[in-house]
Amino acid sequence: EIDKCVTLLEHNLSSFPRSYPLRPRWLADLATARYTRYNLSDQKEDLDRHILHLTELILLPYPSRFGLHVNIVDVFHRLADALFSRYHRYHQKSNRTEDIESSIKYHRFSRELPLEAFGIPINDVTETLVLALGSYARSGNGNALQSIEEMLALCRELLASRDSEYYPTNPLVVLSISVATEYSRSQNVDPLDRVIEFLREAVMACPPGLPQIPLSLVRVLNVRIALAANCGADLEEALTLLTRVETSRSWHCATGLGNWCKKKFLITGDMTDLEESINYYRMALSSFPVDKRSASSSCLVLGELLLRAFDRSNGVEYLEESISIHRRILEMQASRDTCFQALGRLSLCLFFRWLLFSLAQDLDESMDLFSTAVSDQYATVYDRLEIACKWASGSRVSGHHSTMSAYQNAMSLLQNCLVFAPTIETQHHRLVATRWMSRIPLEYASYLISVGRVEQAIEALEQGRALLWSEMRGLRTSIDQLREKKPELALRFAKVNQDLEALTTSISRSQSETVEVGEGAKDGEWFDAFGRTLNEQRKLLEERDGLISRIQELPGLQDFSKTLSYDALRDAASRGPVIIINHCKWRSDILILLHNSPPSFVPTPDDFYARATKLKDNLLETRNKYSPGSRKYDDALRSTLNDLYTLVGRPVIEKLRELKVPDQSRVWWCPTSVFCSLPLHAMGPIPSDDGVEQYFSDIYVSSYTPTLSALIQSRGPKVPTSDDPSLLLVGRPNDGLPAVWKEINAIRTHLGQSAHCLVNEDATLEAVKEGLQRHRFAHFAWDDRLTLLDIVRSHLPDAEFAFLSVCHAAELTDESIADEALHLAAAMQYCGFRSVVGTMWAVADDDGPELAKHFYRSMFGGEKAHSYKRSARSLRNAVQKLRRKREMKLERWVNFVHYGA
């Protein structure tokens, strides 16, 4: 019947001119028929046509509309409702907000019309307007706080107009949801206190049988609890409201009460609150029939609460119940994520029970469950890695035979972590957010050393440190040998690497940004830019892996792109010993890597780990508390250098002399953990026969390297160039930095026309990047325009040496990860510079010119060829001269460090 009606009305409308007097009535009837059919058939076309017909009715000339008694007020009301429906049904997920914006506009307009005269309750329009504003606020478009303010005013109006037959339940619920959503998005809800006061009034006026209203107040109280440190009163109010809800004899309310008691415990630390939370969850599981998903989620929370209770009280009954609960989850065949979490927790519980009672079956089952959880391909890499770390710690403590397997799994997962972060920016953010991961290779290496596998330990340290640089360096793998065998394959491999590097060094697009696919994209063809970047990365990685497999099948290329073996890594010591310090809570070791001999151990005391940690903490704490150059900091630095000499310097010097390494030889430091922030090159003072104060750098010429691979790469084949030095000199002198001109002039004095200067306005980013391509040497004097990412994007095969006379060029900040070496000096080394001079902290104004004068006099003086190989000794010599200045403070000469070959 409706189909016949729609067909007839459409025929009438198409058969008569638009000016025909009956057209408004036919349009109104057709709009109604279309909407009725939409409700029956759920066909979007009917809803679209319904909206179109109502819109045409509004646009008809004024006399035609009212001459045939078309209720234009009702038309506006219906159009606003239809737009709201279409937004929710079809456009909300794609965040297309045109319909909801129009709906809000028409509802606002409708409220200005004489609604009651046409039989339309104003409260109906106001309610729908509140719902529409809530949808718009939650969409993240427009001014959400402004929408919430308008919703609050409208809800006050609705509450004031309530009577025995009407109470504005839905608008109040939507108001509370909108406030909670806005807080979760921006951590700021300006009218929060006023919303809470209003909802308290609403609760007081609420008739029986409407639990949604007190629950709405609980929802916004939860927001304020999350914002405020002192929230005991809000917690008590929320708990009181929850216990008064008439539906409290339900699973939902029991778990809700349990969750609130848990929140209270996390704030107060009161064991009574934790007990209440446990009891509510027990009630939820034992008293009410619920579906499998709800039951498993409640079990998971209860199991975690019981584990907390055991941790606080050492009550074995809590541990036993937690074990039973987690076994119950696994028997339920719950969701994969729930089962994964249950596996991890049950593993811990069984391990704790083994610690108490030493039952072998508990230990074996715990380790087996850890292994099962780590192998779960449906869990995230980060979650599996966290489980692998717990497995490794537990198996090592217990002496279980699975320790090696646990560490190997952890190392493999550590490598995979970066695959799920497509750009270097997101990779760094993720590594910082999970900085605990950096201890894995250190702990694995310490374990391998403890079982006598020293060479494998060195490989493990290399594999798991400086992950970002290692990943990026892998994209610049040499293809010379491959080009000789398969030139087409070499070209394709190089192209994929270039594309991956461009993607990795791109600026990360916001994860909330959306992009439309193609000009003709339809509804729903929207997805976030981060996901698209990740998809591009996955495709390139898959192609790269396939190419590597093909390359490794070629004769002589079986080891192509594989991690370096110990035999290859010890090439790092071809020009002098490399001193590796592994700082680990299990055991700390100092290894001296030699080119043609096995690694040599330097004995460390039992308290080595704690003493080193304290040295680093005390030094940084003093530096943050007192200004650079202060007496307090100078005293702290002097004490640190002296203690470092006792802890590291003296035994290392004794071992080097035992190994017949002559004084004044080059040595390289490859530190881990806290030692990345300590000035190992300046340890001392060291007693001498002539009474002259000496430091480590006076006996051995020290350099640093973040990894052995980086040092090996810095000594790679050199492109033939002229012996004449060609230096790019970049500076930005100003009134605040007058010594920069002195530094520039000091360098010009020694290099003359060989120094190409980019100063002030000439030192644009593009000019600097172009200049780096043409010069073997570079000197930066207080230039902060070149970022780490700019450097990383550069590829400078002819570069030899860079002097970073800028503050903090080799400093690790609180936001950095020590073993990742994310600083400008390491970035310069990565992009091609074989040797780099940097600074550990700020440079004193007068030191730049003085050091530059002595450094370049040593670097480019004499008959020898000008080479980066002279830079470490030239820096040592220049620092010695700087040290002889009267009243020279320690930090001013300790500041300068050398990286690379």
Side-chain angles (χ1 to χ4, degrees), residues 73 195 351:
V73 175
V195 172
F351 181 73

Side-chain angles (χ1 to χ4, degrees), residues 578-627:
V578 180
I579 306 163
I580 302 169
I581 306 180
N582 188 34
H583 182 249
C584 175
K585 67 179 182 180
W586 294 97
R587 61 171 287 162
S588 293
D589 296 281
I590 301 176
L591 300 174
I592 299 182
L593 182 66
L594 304 167
H595 188 226
N596 294 316
S597 304
S600 183
F601 277 94
V602 177
T604 57
D606 292 339
D607 60 350
F608 184 92
Y609 178 83
R611 286 168 64 184
T613 302
K614 186 177 180 181
L615 283 177
K616 181 251 188 182
D617 291 344
N618 288 346
L619 182 63
L620 294 189
E621 182 181 342
T622 306
R623 182 166 187 82
N624 292 332
K625 189 174 181 180
Y626 300 99
S627 61

